[in-house]
Amino acid sequence: MKPTVRSLSGIITVLLFGLMAGFFATYSFNVNYAMLQVDGSTYATVQSLFNINVRHAGFFTCFFGAGIAPFVCALLSMSNSKKAAILWGVLGACYVLGIILFTKHVNLPLNYYTESWDPANLPNDWQHIRGQWNHANYFRSAWSISIFVGSLFLLTHQFHPEQKHNAA
């Protein structure tokens, strides 16, 4: 396997992890705080619009691509460094479990509930639901930033068995 193909797959993976970390962090530390300042009717309307308008090919490509790319890196790294392959696989598993499945089981049900609201007649628990959603997104932010940092470290410190570490 040419190192350039392996390196390119690592760069793409890191970029996808970085894009998702940036997306979740921007939402958590900008949008969420702004939405705390609006009334319930505005929150219900705008949050539903955010949820609906994030459903497009670019977001899906980055969101699910970041779940596939590290496993491609793992496969491409197998012949060169089993340790790097395992670490790429671990990062991929962390993303799939902590981002994709977490989103499916925590954020999406909250999204669907929020989208069902009538802005003129909010449920009594609307502020509690907003808090739950915000906390879930803070978790995704921290988790995805951790995965991004781990992938950046792995990409820049690839484990090559042919490299010899000489003690000085």
Side-chain angles (χ1 to χ4, degrees):
M1 177 65 55
K2 289 187 174 187
T4 54
V5 173
R6 190 173 52 249
S7 297
L8 184 59
S9 71
I11 291 167
I12 290 169
T13 301
V14 169
L15 287 174
L16 288 171
F17 283 155
L19 283 169
M20 293 314 302
F23 174 81
F24 293 130
T26 297
Y27 205 99
S28 287
F29 302 110
N30 292 304
V31 176
N32 284 357
Y33 287 124
M35 294 294 283
L36 290 173
Q37 307 304 314
V38 301
D39 63 276
S41 177
T42 303
Y43 175 79
T45 302
V46 175
Q47 184 69 14
S48 291
L49 289 170
F50 284 145
N51 294 339
I52 292 166
N53 285 295
V54 77
R55 298 174 190 150
H56 56 78
F59 179 79
F60 280 94
T61 299
C62 292
F63 184 81
F64 291 107
I68 296 167
F71 295 109
V72 172
C73 287
L75 289 173
L76 294 175
S77 297
M78 283 297 269
S79 64
N80 190 52
S81 171
K82 294 210 185 322
K83 186 175 183 179
I86 290 168
L87 292 172
W88 282 118
V90 167
L91 289 171
C94 287
Y95 184 86
V96 168
L97 294 171
I99 301 298
I100 294 175
L101 290 178
F102 184 84
T103 298
K104 179 182 178 183
H105 293 289
V106 178
N107 289 83
L108 288 180
L110 293 169
N111 288 354
Y112 299 143
Y113 182 47
T114 305
E115 290 168 29
S116 75
W117 295 348
D118 173 5
N121 188 23
L122 294 176
N124 292 333
D125 66 346
W126 79 268
Q127 289 175 315
H128 176 72
I129 297 302
R130 177 182 63 188
Q132 282 184 311
W133 197 95
N134 288 351
H135 283 101
N137 204 63
Y138 293 139
F139 169 81
R140 291 190 304 178
S141 296
W143 193 253
S144 63
I145 290 168
S146 298
I147 294 168
F148 170 64
V149 169
S151 69
L152 191 58
F153 180 82
L154 182 56
L155 181 66
T156 58
H157 295 83
Q158 283 288 304
F159 300 92
H160 301 289
E162 66 275 2
Q163 291 178 342
K164 305 236 187 291
H165 300 284
N166 297 326

